Amino acid sequence: DCRRFGLLSGKFKKFKQTKNTMRYIAAYMLLALGGKEAPTEDDVKGLLESVGVEIDADKLSALIKAMDGKNLDEVIEEGKAKMKAIAGAGGGGGGGGGGA
């Protein structure tokens, strides 16, 4: 679940994460990287259908609504900031024993 790691920066609170949800996010990001500033539902649907993915209209619609009026770069930066906040929270390995 991406929200657990802060990757979605709270922008997708209503966008339920499930096993196959990342394909919609990935397609949206690919379109944005390809120069489409604000990919539409039809853009994402067209990309996914072109590679044989069956579309769940509710999931796709939720993503588009979640990103409406938002800049993808800013959403990513907010997610990175959240990742930095939890970085280093894990415990390190134990130190080695001293030599005799």
Side-chain angles (χ1 to χ4, degrees):
D1 188 319
C2 291
R3 282 181 282 172
R4 183 173 71 181
F5 299 106
L7 294 176
L8 299 178
S9 69
K11 300 292 184 187
F12 296 93
K13 290 180 182 177
K14 295 181 182 177
F15 187 52
K16 184 179 177 186
Q17 294 294 307
T18 59
K19 181 179 177 184
N20 297 316
T21 302
M22 286 304 294
R23 65 182 63 186
Y24 300 98
I25 297 169
Y28 186 95
M29 293 178 77
L30 283 170
L31 288 162
L33 287 170
K36 187 83 171 168
E37 188 173 320
T40 65
E41 204 165 318
D42 286 338
D43 294 330
V44 176
K45 182 179 178 181
L47 175 61
L48 291 173
E49 287 181 340
S50 75
V51 293
V53 173
E54 187 175 323
I55 304 301
D56 180 325
D58 292 335
K59 288 180 186 178
L60 179 54
S61 179
L63 171 64
I64 299 302
K65 286 178 186 173
M67 288 301 295
D68 187 40
K70 296 175 178 68
N71 177 288
L72 180 59
D73 292 327
E74 291 172 6
V75 171
I76 291 171
E77 288 304 315
E78 289 175 21
K80 283 182 183 179
K82 288 187 177 191
M83 289 295 291
K84 286 180 185 176
I86 63 169

